[in-house]
Amino acid sequence: MKISDKGLAFIAGHEGFVSTAYRDPVGVLTIGYGFTMRSRVFAAWWRTRHGRALRMGDAISRADADVILKRLVDEEYGAAVTARFGALPQHHFDAACSVAYNLGPRALTWRWARALSAGDPARAAAILSANYNTARGRKLPGLVRRRKEEAHLLRTGTFPGLDRAEAPREPADATVDEESAMRMLRALGYLQADFAAATRAFQRDTPPLAVDGIFGPRTRAAAERRLRETAGNRSPARRPSRLAGVLAVGLALLGAVRAAWRRWRGSPR
């Protein structure tokens, strides 16, 4: 089987295109649509083109990345899905390719895959939706969203973000202060080296923003809202103000003086 055009767009959208090599959340050198030297197809293409392994700072064009992505899915991950499951409905095949691309072919032997192989896509989707979303013990919003959307595709045959009306896009002439925007994105955990890639990753995790890589007014407002929510969740419980403490002490002393006065007046003289 071959992945559908929508299935390919689904994977590309979740991976995001990054033109310059960077290290992913678990430290693996990555470029393009999540390409690494662990991929047989990409490694062969890269070594043929450059005569060496991928290095930090290396670059790739989007046109080359689009060609490699289709080859990768068809020859490597799609082939692994076919070998594991045989013929599948197209939307099951596309979802399984996305999982294998993101988590590696070994993921095709995990619990969700055993349920799919047993003919229970609903159970496979439930398992997929609730698991496989952490890196180094930390749950990542991008992985949480990806697993839920893959599960949705398994259950319904529809592609979240592709089979719905397009979200409103940022104005094409939006003025962007990239330095301050990048600080906001990094504070929210989006550490991609490429500004547009970090913006798209945040937009994918913040529906209904359009995933266009433009940090315009809508995206900025959403980022500011998320930062306020994060700060609110981390703020300590409110402590009484210093003035309130002084007043409390003063009232206690006044009460003690009044009690002593009443005792003095009631005593025989």
Side-chain angles (χ1 to χ4, degrees), residues 258-269:
R258 285 177 174 172
W261 170 253
R262 286 195 295 270
R263 287 195 301 273
W264 180 81
R265 290 196 60 177
S267 63
R269 292 189 292 276

Side-chain angles (χ1 to χ4, degrees), residues 21-45:
Y22 67 97
R23 295 201 179 275
D24 73 2
V26 294
V28 178
L29 201 57
T30 307
I31 199 170
Y33 295 109
F35 306 148
T36 75
M37 295 300 286
R38 296 176 178 178
S39 161
R40 172 182 54 81
V41 171
F42 172 73
W45 181 90

Side-chain angles (χ1 to χ4, degrees), residues 130-143:
N131 297 281
Y132 322 128
N133 51 26
T134 62
R136 291 181 174 173
R138 185 166 64 94
K139 188 175 288 190
L140 301 182
L143 292 182

Side-chain angles (χ1 to χ4, degrees), residues 96-113:
C97 283
S98 176
V99 176
Y101 191 91
N102 181 236
L103 298 175
R106 284 191 303 173
L108 301 176
T109 66
W110 297 350
R111 283 192 307 129
W112 77 274

Side-chain angles (χ1 to χ4, degrees), residues 12-16 145 192 197 199-207 211:
H14 274 289
E15 293 293 333
R145 182 169 181 261
Q192 289 87 339
T199 300
R200 283 193 295 271
F202 171 73
Q203 290 168 333
R204 283 195 299 272
D205 294 338
T206 316
V211 184

